[in-house]
Amino acid sequence: MKSKFLKSAVLGLSTAALLAGAAATAQAEQKFVTIGTGGQTGVYYVVGQSICKLVNRGQKDHEIKCTAPSTGGSVANLNAIANGEQDMGVAQSDWQYHAYNGTAPDKFPNGANKELRAVFSVHPEPFTVVARKDSGIKTFADLKGKRVNVGNPGSGARGTMEVVMEKLGWSMSDFKLAAELKSAEQAAALCDNKIDAIVFTVGHPSGTIKEATTSCESVIVPVTGPEIDALVNDNAYYAKATVVGGTYDGTAEDVETFGVGATFVSSTKADEETIYQVVKAVFDNFDRFKRLHPAFANLKEENMIKNNLSAPLHPGAERYYKERGWM
């Protein structure tokens, strides 16, 4: 009896050890990837969450677990990718260009990141100014002397605002207040009369701007003029843009501005198979992806694989596009 009991116990322990070993192996084989996004009320956050949602649906096939936390935005994501802290991220097309070419040393202190790789572009992002109706702001020039949220450091919106200010010869001291609020904070600050205007480079419709325009009387302000024309003419990553009238309360007519494109990027540090599976998850489920946010509704595959991409394509993305006959 004792012998049979010991034999059973040993077999039980062996089985448990094998199961534990198998579980540890499965855990080791699972790959965890992180996508940098932006503020939780911005479209970048939705982009990252949407990509992860589609990737995680196929987890049993490719063993990739995807997370997309809120981050500081474009510049922060590009620096995190360069430093190996994130696998992928969402970034404005202009900051993708500067990160790859090293043409904005104040934003990218390590210089040109030649390991940066483009994956695909997403939605257009107009440079958008929203002002309280009672502020008297009707043009971009009217921002001088006002309380303006210029964006949080590390965000693409802040970086683009600084580019426009430099072109106009402005400095932060030209504002009565230059607030550095994150995107999630700015609508409340506007409607609580703590600031007069917000500046946001974002896809439309935007939850932040909807909040601002429904919570208090506010309007979208045009961003036009010879300096803006020069920016667009001199830089391929900028383009004229329009905020369509009726998108937000208080602005019935189309508003002219300029803008960039949201792009999805990675680096050579991310292996080809992982990026291939992420791209496959998006484009094999493209109709589902387009339904995840109104800003995605008019996306077209042929534009996403070539527009606004300043860095070379990642080999994993290129492999998928060639398989589909798109390249």
Side-chain angles (χ1 to χ4, degrees):
M1 289 290 291
K2 186 177 181 181
S3 173
K4 285 181 180 179
F5 176 78
L6 287 172
K7 188 174 181 181
S8 297
V10 170
L11 284 170
L13 287 171
S14 299
T15 303
L18 284 169
L19 289 171
T25 301
Q27 183 71 16
E29 287 174 353
Q30 190 172 49
K31 186 173 185 66
F32 295 88
V33 297
T34 303
I35 297 173
T37 61
Q40 290 189 358
T41 59
V43 186
Y44 279 17
Y45 186 73
V46 182
V47 172
Q49 291 290 316
S50 299
I51 293 171
C52 279
K53 182 176 182 177
L54 296 176
V55 170
N56 292 337
R57 285 180 77 244
Q59 196 175 339
K60 66 181 186 302
D61 299 320
H62 49 58
E63 296 292 337
I64 297 171
K65 174 68 175 176
C66 180
T67 58
S70 174
T71 69
S74 294
V75 175
N77 292 339
L78 289 161
N79 278 316
I81 289 170
N83 295 331
E85 298 162 1
Q86 288 174 190
D87 304 285
M88 294 159 265
V90 192
Q92 290 180 197
S93 54
D94 49 347
W95 298 111
Q96 179 191 145
Y97 175 91
H98 291 308
Y100 182 74
N101 291 287
T103 44
D106 58 323
K107 297 290 186 296
F108 306 109
N110 295 328
N113 179 13
K114 292 302 181 182
E115 292 187 353
L116 183 67
R117 293 293 178 267
V119 181
F120 52 78
S121 65
V122 202
H123 54 281
E125 296 188 295
F127 180 78
T128 308
V129 178
V130 186
R132 289 177 58 90
K133 193 172 181 180
D134 60 9
S135 68
I137 298 169
K138 299 187 185 305
T139 68
F140 191 83
D142 294 334
L143 293 178
K144 265 194 171 185
K146 301 294 185 178
R147 302 167 300 165
V148 181
N149 184 49
V150 296
N152 63 287
S155 68
R158 169 65 172 271
T160 305
M161 178 61 169
E162 290 174 352
V163 168
V164 174
M165 287 172 60
E166 183 180 1
K167 196 74 176 173
L168 293 168
W170 292 9
S171 68
M172 292 298 176
S173 62
D174 285 313
F175 303 116
K176 184 176 181 180
L177 170 69
E180 297 184 327
L181 302 171
K182 293 181 179 178
S183 60
E185 304 168 318
Q186 56 187 357
L190 185 77
C191 291
D192 289 342
N193 201 20
K194 293 177 179 176
I195 53 177
D196 300 306
I198 62 176
V199 177
F200 200 17
T201 306
V202 66
H204 295 288
S206 156
T208 294
I209 296 177
K210 269 199 178 304
E211 180 185 349
T213 52
T214 55
S215 299
C216 58
E217 285 192 293
S218 50
V219 294
I220 312 295
V221 177
V223 183
T224 57
E227 294 87 358
I228 301 302
D229 292 342
L231 271 180
V232 171
N233 292 335
D234 296 344
N235 301 284
Y237 42 78
Y238 292 137
K240 290 294 183 71
T242 300
V243 179
V244 177
T247 303
Y248 304 105
D249 291 352
T251 304
E253 304 296 326
D254 289 357
V255 178
E256 292 182 22
T257 181
F258 78 108
V260 294
T263 66
F264 187 55
V265 298
S266 184
S267 81
T268 57
K269 296 171 187 174
D271 65 90
E272 179 180 322
E273 181 63 20
T274 297
I275 299 300
Y276 172 84
Q277 292 294 345
V278 171
V279 172
K280 180 178 173 64
V282 172
F283 288 104
D284 278 8
N285 299 281
F286 194 56
D287 287 340
R288 183 186 295 267
F289 179 74
K290 288 169 66 176
R291 291 195 297 269
L292 294 175
H293 193 279
F296 307 159
N298 297 315
L299 293 178
K300 295 180 179 178
E301 294 106 317
E302 61 267 28
N303 295 332
M304 293 173 69
I305 69 172
K306 64 180 181 181
N307 288 1
N308 302 314
L309 304 181
S310 306
L313 271 179
H314 193 286
E318 193 171 357
R319 175 180 144 201
Y320 179 86
Y321 302 150
K322 285 180 176 176
E323 279 185 8
R324 291 293 300 267
W326 297 342
M327 294 183 68

